[in-house]
Amino acid sequence: GAVVSQHPSRVICKSGTSVKIECRSLDFQATTMFWYRQFPKQSLMLMATSNEGSKATYEQGVEKDKFLINHASLTLSTLTVTSAHPEDSSFYICSARIRGGPDTQYFGPGTRLTVL
Amino acid sequence: GENVEQHPSTLSVQEGDSAVIKCTYSDSASNYFPWYKQELGKGPQLIIDIRSNVGEKKDQRIAVTLNKTAKHFSLHITETQPEDSAVYFCAARLSGGSEKLVFGKGTKLTVNP
């Protein structure tokens, strides 16, 4: 149980284009989803907290107009990297909390974004 | 805000030995401490967690201990196996109703056969 999927697993795009990453909770409803960014050999950095039906809460220093988050349903959150640049290349990981459950966060497998 | 320090950054053990990873946190009100295992190119996987009303928790070869007074918690892996090789992250949840986790910098564990 508590499986989180992400799509795509890998994406390569040209500078200036936008990329959408999906995060789905497969066997549970998720009131809250989180988006993290991880650079090579580094820890996870929280980008934003996403609650179903409301606006995401972004961490300090994260541009909300560049990293658009939509949490349209209890099983799906999307992260769109707009006008991507090479410095946006990173490993993006989402996590989700079970609706009505404990505060455990279950992570997806991650999405490797490479911007050329 | 909360700060989580994790040591060591790398740890190499022989198969069958025990491995211990330690974390300290700064916010005495933090009350939830999960440990995650991350293999190369994959997302973190929860392996064990502990809440502040418990001092120790065990799940087969894995155990976590919590010392609230000293504000530190540790991961213990016994009878290590090569497949335990991965990066391990500790985390602490912020107090005050926040759902955010603050992560340590990670420990790369290598179990040599």
Side-chain angles (χ1 to χ4, degrees), chain A residues 15-91:
Chain A
S15 187
T17 60
S18 294
V19 174
K20 180 185 283 189
I21 302 170
E22 292 186 349
C23 177
R24 292 182 184 273
S25 54
L26 297 185
D27 52 0
F28 65 96
Q29 292 183 330
T31 326
T32 308
M33 289 184 170
F34 304 84
W35 286 96
Y36 293 84
R37 184 173 181 176
Q38 187 178 36
F39 290 105
K41 298 185 179 181
Q42 292 191 23
S43 190
L44 292 85
M45 288 182 53
L46 180 65
M47 298 175 66
T49 302
S50 166
N51 289 292
E52 186 265 339
S54 62
K55 291 184 179 181
T57 302
Y58 290 82
E59 294 301 296
Q60 191 172 9
V62 178
E63 298 176 59
K64 62 180 180 180
D65 293 331
K66 181 168 185 61
F67 299 100
L68 301 178
I69 292 173
N70 187 337
H71 194 154
S73 77
L74 287 172
T75 59
L76 173 65
S77 177
T78 60
L79 168 68
T80 301
V81 183
T82 62
S83 187
H85 291 284
E87 55 266 31
D88 299 324
S89 299
S90 191
F91 194 49

Side-chain angles (χ1 to χ4, degrees), chain B residues 22-52:
Chain B
K22 299 182 179 181
C23 288
T24 60
Y25 59 99
S26 59
D27 185 355
S28 57
S30 289
N31 58 8
Y32 173 64
F33 309 92
W35 284 89
Y36 288 89
K37 174 184 180 182
Q38 186 178 29
E39 297 177 344
L40 190 63
K42 298 184 179 180
Q45 176 188 7
L46 179 71
I47 56 171
I48 197 166
D49 56 10
I50 192 167
R51 300 180 192 282
S52 57

Side-chain angles (χ1 to χ4, degrees), chain B residues 2-3 5 20-33 35 49-57 63-76 91-92:
Chain B
E2 176 66 282
N3 183 48
E5 299 281 341
V20 180
I21 303 171
K22 299 182 179 181
C23 288
T24 60
Y25 59 99
S26 59
D27 185 355
S28 57
S30 289
N31 58 8
Y32 173 64
F33 309 92
W35 284 89
D49 56 10
I50 192 167
R51 300 180 192 282
S52 57
N53 59 345
V54 176
E56 183 174 358
K57 185 176 178 181
V64 56
T65 58
L66 171 65
N67 183 326
K68 286 191 297 182
T69 303
K71 291 188 286 187
H72 68 68
F73 55 113
S74 300
L75 177 71
H76 304 253

